[in-house]
Amino acid sequence: MVGAVIHAIGCGFKEALFVPESINSPEDGATEPVRLPESDLESIEASVRKLLDQSAEQARQLDSLASAPAASPFGAFGMPGFAGMPPQPAPPEPRPILELEGEEYEDELDALSDWVDDFLIRVYGAEVTTAAPWCEQWQEHDDVVAWLHALWLAYQQHKDPEAGPAGLFVWHRDFLTHAMAATRAPGGPLSACMTDPDRPAHRLLPGPKPSIRSSSSAAEEPGANGGPDQAAG
C-alpha cells in the first residue's frame, strides 16, 4: 500500500508541470511550461518515501504503547509488589503452638510471652486472688499456653484493618472474656499456683489417666510389660 502511494506520488511529480513566468516571454504573451529535472524528481521521491516510512514506524510505536501496561515508576528501585520485582511469597499460615517443636516452638513461645507479659496481663490482668489465680511460670502449663496462644492469634486477626471498626470489640467479647475465664478460673489449670501476689507458687496438677481402652490396647502390643519378646528370651 505504501509502495503504491509512493509510486503514484513519484509519477505525479514526474508528470507535474510548473508554469512560472518565463524570463524570456514570447511576443504573444504565453508562458512555456518548465519540467523539473529527472534528478530533482528522484530526490523528492526519496524524501517522500523516507517520510512515509517514518510515519509508519511512529504509528507502530503508538499502537504498542497504547496496548502495553503502564510501567510503575518504582520498578527500578526493586520495591516489592511493583513492576520489575517478583511477587513476595505469602506468609506461612499460623499453626497451633503445641504442634510446633524445637527451636520453632521456643521462638513462638518467646513472642507469645512478650505479648502476654507486656500487654495482656498489664492491661487485663486483674488482681491475683483465690478467685483469679495466676502463675509466673505459666509457660510450663501446656493448656494455658494453648489458650493464650489462640487468644494472641485472634488478637492479631481482629486488630487488622480488614476486620473493620468492630474487630477489637468482637475480640473482647468472643475471645478475651472466655480465655481469661478459662485460664484463671478458681478450679482451672492455675488454681494450685499463685493465689496471693505476695506468695508466688507453681505446681502442675496431674491430669486424668488414659482411658481403659487405650491402656488395654497398649498392654496387648507385642513386647509390652514383658510380653512375647521377653518370654522368648
Side-chain angles (χ1 to χ4, degrees), residues 135-149:
C135 183
E136 294 180 350
Q137 302 179 52
W138 59 266
Q139 294 90 342
E140 298 183 16
H141 297 262
D142 288 345
D143 48 356
V144 176
V145 169
W147 268 104
L148 296 181
H149 185 257

Side-chain angles (χ1 to χ4, degrees), residues 48-125:
V48 171
R49 183 184 296 275
K50 183 177 180 180
L51 289 174
L52 290 175
D53 290 342
Q54 291 176 350
S55 298
E57 179 63 25
Q58 291 176 354
R60 286 193 294 269
Q61 292 178 357
L62 290 174
D63 291 340
S64 63
L65 290 175
S67 59
S72 170
F74 302 99
F77 298 97
M79 298 181 66
F82 293 94
M85 282 292 294
Q88 295 295 313
E93 292 292 331
R95 295 170 55 195
I97 190 170
L98 297 185
E99 293 183 1
L100 307 179
E101 297 179 352
E103 185 177 352
E104 189 177 9
Y105 173 83
E106 294 297 331
D107 291 343
E108 190 75 0
L109 186 60
D110 287 343
L112 174 62
S113 299
D114 291 340
W115 180 75
V116 171
D117 295 339
D118 297 340
F119 172 72
L120 182 67
I121 294 302
R122 182 173 58 84
V123 176
Y124 303 101

Side-chain angles (χ1 to χ4, degrees), residues 30 55 113 148 151 157-158 164 169 172 177 199:
S55 298
S113 299
L148 296 181
L151 182 63
Q157 176 185 358
H158 285 80
F169 175 82
H172 282 82
T177 302
R199 296 179 180 179

Side-chain angles (χ1 to χ4, degrees), residues 157-174:
Q157 176 185 358
H158 285 80
K159 76 171 184 176
D160 191 280
E162 293 185 359
L168 284 177
F169 175 82
V170 174
W171 178 77
H172 282 82
R173 182 194 65 191
D174 295 346

